[in-house]
């Protein structure tokens, strides 16, 4: 019967590397002495060839100059030889490696990333600046510079005042600058704010527009009268042919009174100095053929033909405007300018 208890250490020693009981160095198979410190691998003898063993000196004796490097043995002094590690293993000559310091307690710090390039301050670019120039009216020639956020216009309230204009409300309009754009808003004024158009513009029924010194209202379609039943009394008036839609445009007089009215089934109505549906030969602010009014099912389209004299439509709510546009506020005609 095989005795495992007695034969196992011998089998392990012959087949596995031997660990030194003194320095825990792993030696080759069947090593008798440690290749690192020289101690017997079975723990019975003192280490041989240790450079850190100090020889015992008798009282009164003197150490020779090389006594620190010699060890006295029964057979005489043996010069110390630095142990060599087997191939593939490297022994540190500076002593044991200190244990790493324990990490600090608390939450880990987050790394910060900063550019080494010098920081450059981006210059703040100022937005566009606007101004107003009075082209016509009692204040002709005056110029106004708008603030960075805009200005209010009125007869007694606001930054731009026209105290002698009876057609301007106390607070008439507000000019606002947002995101580099200019806007005009009618502050529920009595006479309204009018802005020039370029090309064509659509207005609703009962919408107003002005040309030269004239103000007009597009009334819209006129419904034909109901057939007479020979019982009710008829009221005198102009007849409107049945089965044909007619449109009406009237001139608005001072005090919002109705003036000259034109009723026509035609596709276009014209306003100008001569040979137009509305002709005013003595109005120097009108071109020979100033504008056209084309009726639509829900309003009319105004086409400007003045060549720069201007056709104006009333502002409802707030409207964007730009440099070169003209405004009519009361008796004043103002032009928007871009300032540097």
């Amino acid at each position: 019967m095989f005795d495992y208890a007695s034969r196992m250490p011998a089998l392990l020693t012959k087949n596995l590397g031997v660990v030194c009981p003194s320095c825990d160095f792993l030696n080759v198979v069947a090593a008798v002495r440690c290749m690192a410190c020289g101690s017997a691998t079975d723990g019975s003898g003192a280490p041989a060839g240790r450079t850190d063993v100090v020889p015992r000196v008798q009282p009164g004796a003197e150490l020779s100059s090389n006594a620190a490097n010699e060890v006295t043995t029964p057979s005489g002094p043996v010069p110390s030889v630095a142990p060599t590690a087997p191939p593939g293993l490297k022994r540190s000559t500076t002593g044991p490696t200190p244990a790493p310091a324990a990490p600090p307690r608390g939450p880990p710090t987050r790394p910060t990333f900063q550019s080494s390039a010098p920081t450059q301050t981006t210059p703040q670019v100022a937005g566009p600046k606007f101004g107003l120039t009075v082209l016509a009216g009692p204040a002709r020639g005056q110029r106004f510079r708008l603030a960075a956020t805009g200005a209010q216009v009125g007869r007694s309230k606001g930054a731009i005042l026209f105290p002698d204009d009876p057609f301007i409300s106390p607070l008439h309009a507000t000019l606002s600058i947002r995101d580099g754009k200019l806007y005009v808003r009618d502050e529920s004024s009595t006479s309204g704010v009018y802005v020039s158009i370029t090309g064509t513009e659509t207005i609703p029924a009962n919408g107003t527009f002005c040309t030269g010194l004239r103000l007009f209202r597009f009334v819209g379609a006129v419904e034909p009268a109901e057939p007479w039943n020979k019982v009710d009394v008829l009221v005198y008036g102009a007849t409107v042919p049945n089965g044909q839609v007619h449109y009406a445009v009237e001139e608005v007089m001072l005090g919002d009174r109705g003036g000259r009215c034109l009723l026509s089934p035609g596709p276009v109505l014209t306003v100008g100095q001569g040979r137009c549906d509305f002709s005013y030969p003595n109005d120097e602010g009108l071109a020979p053929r100033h504008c056209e009014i084309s009726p639509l099912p829900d309003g009319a389209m105004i086409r400007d033909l003045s060549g720069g004299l201007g056709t104006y439509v009333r502002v409802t709510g707030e409207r964007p405007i730009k440099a070169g546009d003209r405004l009519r506020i009361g008796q004043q005609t103002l032009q928007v300018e871009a300032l540097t």
Side-chain angles (χ1 to χ4, degrees), residues 222-286:
V222 177
E223 298 295 335
E226 295 180 0
W228 181 43
N229 56 15
K230 297 183 180 181
V231 176
D232 297 333
V233 178
L234 291 178
V235 179
Y236 283 114
T239 59
V240 177
N242 292 328
Q244 191 175 13
V245 180
H246 284 64
Y247 298 90
V249 177
E250 67 174 354
E251 184 180 1
V252 181
M253 310 302 292
L254 185 63
D256 199 24
R257 296 176 299 168
R260 180 184 176 187
C261 182
L262 180 63
L263 186 68
S264 173
V268 175
L269 298 175
T270 58
V271 178
Q273 281 190 336
R275 295 183 180 182
C276 296
D277 297 313
F278 288 92
S279 296
Y280 304 94
N282 298 324
D283 192 337
E284 297 180 354
L286 292 177

Side-chain angles (χ1 to χ4, degrees), residues 176-265:
S176 304
I177 301 176
R178 299 192 305 272
D179 299 330
K181 296 182 180 180
L182 181 62
Y183 299 85
V184 61
R185 183 176 67 251
D186 186 0
E187 298 291 351
S188 302
S189 62
T190 302
S191 299
V193 179
Y194 293 82
V195 62
S196 61
I197 65 173
T198 56
T200 60
E201 182 87 8
T202 302
I203 62 173
N206 293 319
T208 56
F209 64 97
C210 59
T211 59
L213 300 176
R214 312 292 171 174
L215 179 63
F216 300 92
R217 177 185 291 114
F218 177 74
V219 179
V222 177
E223 298 295 335
E226 295 180 0
W228 181 43
N229 56 15
K230 297 183 180 181
V231 176
D232 297 333
V233 178
L234 291 178
V235 179
Y236 283 114
T239 59
V240 177
N242 292 328
Q244 191 175 13
V245 180
H246 284 64
Y247 298 90
V249 177
E250 67 174 354
E251 184 180 1
V252 181
M253 310 302 292
L254 185 63
D256 199 24
R257 296 176 299 168
R260 180 184 176 187
C261 182
L262 180 63
L263 186 68
S264 173

